[in-house]
């Protein structure tokens, strides 16, 4: 079966994992109220892939097997594929209003596909064949794969080998004919627990002498030696309260995991880079580029929902005709569509690598992500402006439903004729969730730091900006000798 149903996905992740939350080991995590919304979100990906209306975006044909696969396991074969990726991510953001977690492994696979090809060409290794074999299995079983890059990094002023604790960067601690043993940690791991497998990558461009850190491999997320510690998100314990409306988005949510690798064995066939330091920077840049492209889709979809919630609350508040409110919603839309334009533009200008797969335009992908570090904050600010202070002063759902004070809250929350106080309550909580609650992690902080913090994009923009060519443009117009 190539396309898993949502239920098949759910059944497939019910496996033993070494998971901790609030200092305790968690069994049957799939029933935990803090984790369940993140699983619902991934199930939505599998669900939409089954619906005819969405099949063009959600599924495609594998160039490796000729079989129909979920697009999240595809290796892009054209610029049209790159564009459809962004459109699919917008669609999923619209359906879930949060991070749907499956893009990281997708982006890692597309980066490794070309980097392994180039390593083999230079060193006569067989990483590309290994990787294709590994990925065919992912496509055939419709597996969710995480992509793990960020090390804990210790003292940022020091290189990996200069750290007082060598595990600050994940590295090889033992090698044999059968494989390697690795130790270290990967943090901010979106959807790691909900993924069947993970692709591990180095976190930075490495130098000769740092070979033990230039490592990439595939691993099962419940492999022996892996410990998962569940990341907290703002207001997450509202999910364990008996009432659900206070959560805001009570159906869907993201997931971030702190992952520790304590002497994890990786068999030879799952290793895709082992010591090729000069390719580590390329892998990091390509992965970052693909994930910066991704943000031109996913954040836009979530932005659509936030704009919708803002328009709805202005209607409930009776302010929808006020000219400044209308103008602010236009501004939100303008910013959101600018992000989308960047996502589509870097995809449209994509190019083919020697390995045959397509990659987005690096400069425009970095411009896309740099805008994402800013615009969602402004969109969120305008949403809060229009929604009013009630988003952070409202009593709880228990009070709204209480025999004693419920009628009072209802009376004073009611605004316009025909408006239901509970609907207003829901939308206000939803905006709170997106701007300062659990979903603000994926809409705000992740917009800032996910796929690299703003400075990382500025470095890439500076590298790609080709200032010499721009200076020559001026010289040519002004008849200045371009050789000087
Ligand atoms: Fe996908 Fe966006 Fe979440 Fe990254 S932040 S995994 S691109 S939804
Ligand atoms: Fe992310």
């Amino acid at each position: 079966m190539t396309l898993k149903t949502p239920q098949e996905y759910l059944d497939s992740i019910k496996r033993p994992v070494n998971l901790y939350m609030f200092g305790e080991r968690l069994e049957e995590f799939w029933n935990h109220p803090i984790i369940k919304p993140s699983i619902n979100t991934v199930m939505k990906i599998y669900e939409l892939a089954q619906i005819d209306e969405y099949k063009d975006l959600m599924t495609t044909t594998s160039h490796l097997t000729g079989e129909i696969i979920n697009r999240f396991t595809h290796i892009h074969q054209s610029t049209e594929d790159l564009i459809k990726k962004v459109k699919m991510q917008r669609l999923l953001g619209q359906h879930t209003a949060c991070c749907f977690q499956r893009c990281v492994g997708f982006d890692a696979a597309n980066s490794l596909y070309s980097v392994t090809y180039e390593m083999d060409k230079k060193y006569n290794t067989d990483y590309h064949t290994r990787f294709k074999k590994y990925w065919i299995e992912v496509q055939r079983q419709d597996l969710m794969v995480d992509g793990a890059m960020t090390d804990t990094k210790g003292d940022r002023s020091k290189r990996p080998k200069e750290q007082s604790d060598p595990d600050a960067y994940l590295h090889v601690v033992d090698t044999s004919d059968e494989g390697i043993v690795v130790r270290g940690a990967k943090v901010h791991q979106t959807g790691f627990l909900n993924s069947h497998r993970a692709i591990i990558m180095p976190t930075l461009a490495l130098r000769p002498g740092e070979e033990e850190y230039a490592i990439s491999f595939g691993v099962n997320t419940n492999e022996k030696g892996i410990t998962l510690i569940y990341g907290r998100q703002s207001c997450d314990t509202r999910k364990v309260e008996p009432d659900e409306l206070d959560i805001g988005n009570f159906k869907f949510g993201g997931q971030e995991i702190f992952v520790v690798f304590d002497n994890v064995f990786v068999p030879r066939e799952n290793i895709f880079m082992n010591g090729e330091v000069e390719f580590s920077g390329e892998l990091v840049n390509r992965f970052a580029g693909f994930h910066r492209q991704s943000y031109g889709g996913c954040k836009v979809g979530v932005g659509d929902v936030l704009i919708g919630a803002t328009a709805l609350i202005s209607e409930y508040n009776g302010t929808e005709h006020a000219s400044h409110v209308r103008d602010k919603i236009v501004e939100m839309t303008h910013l959101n569509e600018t992000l989308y334009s960047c996502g589509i533009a870097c995809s449209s200008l994509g190019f083919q690598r020697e390995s045959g797969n397509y990659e987005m335009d690096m400069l425009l992908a970095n411009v896309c992500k740099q805008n994402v570090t800013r615009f969602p904050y402004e969109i969120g600010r305008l949403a809060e402006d229009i929604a009013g202070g009630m988003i952070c002063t409202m009593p709880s759902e228990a009070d709204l439903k209480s025999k004693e004070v419920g009628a009072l809250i209802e009376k004073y929350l009611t605004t316009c004729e025909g408006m239901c106080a509970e609907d207003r309550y829901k939308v206000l909580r939803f905006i709170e969730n997106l701007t300062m609650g659990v979903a603000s992690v994926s809409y705000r902080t992740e917009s800032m730091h996910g796929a690299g913090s703003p400075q990382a994009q500025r470095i890439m923009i500076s590298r790609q900006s080709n200032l010499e060519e721009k200076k020559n443009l001026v010289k040519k117009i002004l008849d200045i000798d371009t050789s000087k």
Side-chain angles (χ1 to χ4, degrees):
M1 176 63 188
T2 305
L3 293 177
K4 271 188 176 27
T5 64
Q7 187 59 45
E8 283 167 344
Y9 163 72
L10 179 62
D11 293 342
S12 68
I13 55 154
K14 291 180 178 174
R15 67 216 190 283
V17 285
N18 190 28
L19 170 69
Y20 287 80
M21 185 196 274
F22 299 126
E24 284 176 11
R25 204 186 133 111
L26 255 192
E27 309 291 344
E28 301 202 356
F29 65 87
W30 47 91
N31 290 326
H32 196 286
I34 289 185
I35 302 174
K36 218 165 182 318
S38 74
I39 299 173
N40 293 342
T41 309
V42 179
M43 286 173 75
K44 185 55 90 179
I45 297 175
Y46 287 91
E47 183 193 322
L48 294 191
Q50 305 275 333
I51 300 172
D52 283 347
E53 187 186 346
Y54 303 119
K55 279 195 168 154
D56 182 50
L57 287 185
M58 296 299 305
T59 66
T60 187
T61 304
S62 165
H63 80 291
L64 295 169
T65 64
E67 291 168 12
I68 300 294
I69 51 167
N70 191 298
R71 187 174 293 281
F72 277 97
T73 66
H74 189 43
I75 304 294
H76 312 295
Q77 297 299 303
S78 62
T79 51
E80 197 193 343
D81 274 348
L82 291 164
I83 293 170
K84 281 188 177 173
K85 171 198 172 189
V86 171
K87 287 185 174 175
M88 171 184 74
Q89 288 166 319
R90 183 171 190 171
L91 177 80
L92 280 159
Q94 291 170 341
H95 278 261
T96 61
C98 63
C99 166
F100 35 86
Q101 312 151 48
R102 203 177 172 183
C103 325
V104 208
F106 184 19
D107 290 336
N110 276 276
S111 326
L112 261 182
Y113 192 85
S114 57
V115 172
T116 51
Y117 181 92
E118 288 161 31
M119 280 192 291
D120 287 359
K121 198 175 164 196
K122 181 158 185 193
Y123 293 114
N124 211 17
T125 43
D126 65 344
Y127 294 129
H128 190 63
T129 314
R130 277 186 210 173
F131 178 69
K132 280 201 290 194
K133 202 167 159 211
Y134 186 85
W135 202 252
I136 285 172
E137 209 37 47
V138 167
Q139 291 186 338
R140 289 226 156 108
Q141 294 187 49
D142 197 4
L143 299 179
M144 168 140 160
V145 181
D146 180 46
M149 181 162 274
T150 314
D151 287 309
T152 50
K153 300 192 202 116
D155 180 345
R156 268 60 166 178
S157 69
K158 293 179 176 161
R159 298 292 302 176
K161 276 200 152 167
E162 296 164 356
Q163 301 290 334
S164 53
D165 184 344
D167 302 341
Y169 289 77
L170 187 129
H171 63 133
V172 178
V173 292
D174 198 12
T175 305
S176 66
D177 287 347
E178 285 74 45
I180 52 171
V181 176
V182 298
R183 195 161 59 225
K186 293 285 182 185
V187 286
H188 321 306
Q189 286 314 300
T190 302
F192 195 98
L193 173 63
N194 290 344
S195 298
H196 306 95
R197 296 183 181 184
I199 289 179
I200 313 304
M201 295 166 284
T203 205
L204 79 171
L206 295 154
R207 300 170 185 166
E210 297 175 331
E211 284 75 10
E212 70 195 75
Y213 298 94
I215 180 77
S216 178
F217 57 89
V219 68
N220 290 336
T221 49
N222 64 341
E223 197 60 58
K224 188 167 169 263
I226 293 182
T227 298
L228 312 181
I229 310 164
Y230 207 86
R232 292 215 63 177
Q233 306 194 337
S234 172
C235 310
D236 54 3
T237 44
R238 285 195 190 185
K239 294 180 194 167
V240 294
E241 293 173 6
D243 300 314
E244 65 178 18
L245 293 191
D246 287 334
I247 301 168
N249 184 348
F250 45 84
K251 288 186 187 158
F252 304 110
Q255 172 188 101
E256 301 295 335
I257 313 282
F258 196 113
V259 186
V260 180
F261 293 75
D262 187 19
N263 295 337
V264 175
F265 172 72
V266 184
R268 252 178 75 84
E269 63 268 25
N270 293 348
I271 300 171
F272 311 127
M273 173 185 284
N274 190 6
E276 292 78 7
V277 281
E278 71 275 35
F279 284 96
S280 58
E282 263 313 297
L283 181 55
V284 171
N285 288 342
R286 287 181 205 180
F287 168 74
F290 274 121
H291 210 53
R292 288 167 195 173
Q293 170 209 22
S294 289
Y295 278 36
C298 78
K299 302 302 175 217
V300 180
V302 179
D304 285 328
V305 183
L306 182 54
I307 294 168
T310 309
L312 207 52
I313 204 64
S314 72
E315 211 177 287
Y316 291 173
N317 288 348
T319 59
E320 81 269 33
H321 298 303
S323 61
H324 76 97
V325 169
R326 284 161 65 163
D327 189 56
K328 282 166 186 163
I329 291 178
V330 168
E331 177 65 9
M332 293 166 82
T333 307
H334 164 73
L335 292 170
N336 203 41
E337 297 300 334
T338 303
L339 297 180
Y340 189 51
S341 307
C342 293
I344 294 295
C346 70
S347 307
S348 307
L349 293 189
F351 66 99
Q352 190 173 27
R353 285 275 179 198
E354 211 183 327
S355 48
N357 63 319
Y358 274 71
E359 195 172 304
M360 74 293 126
D361 181 87
M362 190 61 90
L363 175 59
L364 295 190
N366 278 279
V367 170
C368 177
K369 173 66 209 325
Q370 179 80 181
N371 284 337
V372 171
T373 65
R374 300 171 184 175
F375 296 177
Y377 286 82
E378 181 62 8
I379 293 170
R381 188 184 74 79
L382 291 167
E384 287 184 40
D385 176 352
I386 292 171
M390 195 61 88
I391 52 167
C392 60
T393 63
M394 264 196 319
S396 69
E397 183 189 350
D399 292 314
L400 180 68
K401 305 267 168 75
S402 126
K403 280 202 190 86
E404 286 79 20
V405 294
L408 286 174
I409 296 175
E410 181 136 357
K411 171 179 155 75
Y412 290 107
L413 269 190
T414 300
T415 50
C416 310
E417 194 68 30
M419 193 276 299
C420 156
E422 186 174 312
D423 287 349
R424 184 168 175 237
Y425 188 93
K426 280 184 181 171
V427 177
L428 286 166
R429 282 284 181 236
F430 189 75
I431 295 173
E432 179 198 29
N433 169 274
L434 273 164
T435 55
M436 59 189 92
V438 175
S440 70
V441 175
S442 48
Y443 193 59
R444 288 168 50 124
T445 316
E446 196 176 41
S447 288
M448 179 68 79
H449 295 293
S453 306
Q455 190 56 23
Q457 289 110 56
R458 297 189 83 78
I459 292 167
M460 288 304 286
I461 290 170
S462 142
R463 278 189 202 152
Q464 309 262 325
S465 60
N466 207 345
L467 274 188
E468 283 315 306
E469 193 183 302
K470 290 180 171 66
K471 284 192 270 183
N472 278 340
L473 294 174
V474 181
K475 287 179 181 172
K476 278 184 197 156
I477 293 171
L478 300 180
D479 292 334
I480 298 172
D481 184 355
T482 52
S483 64
K484 283 195 281 186

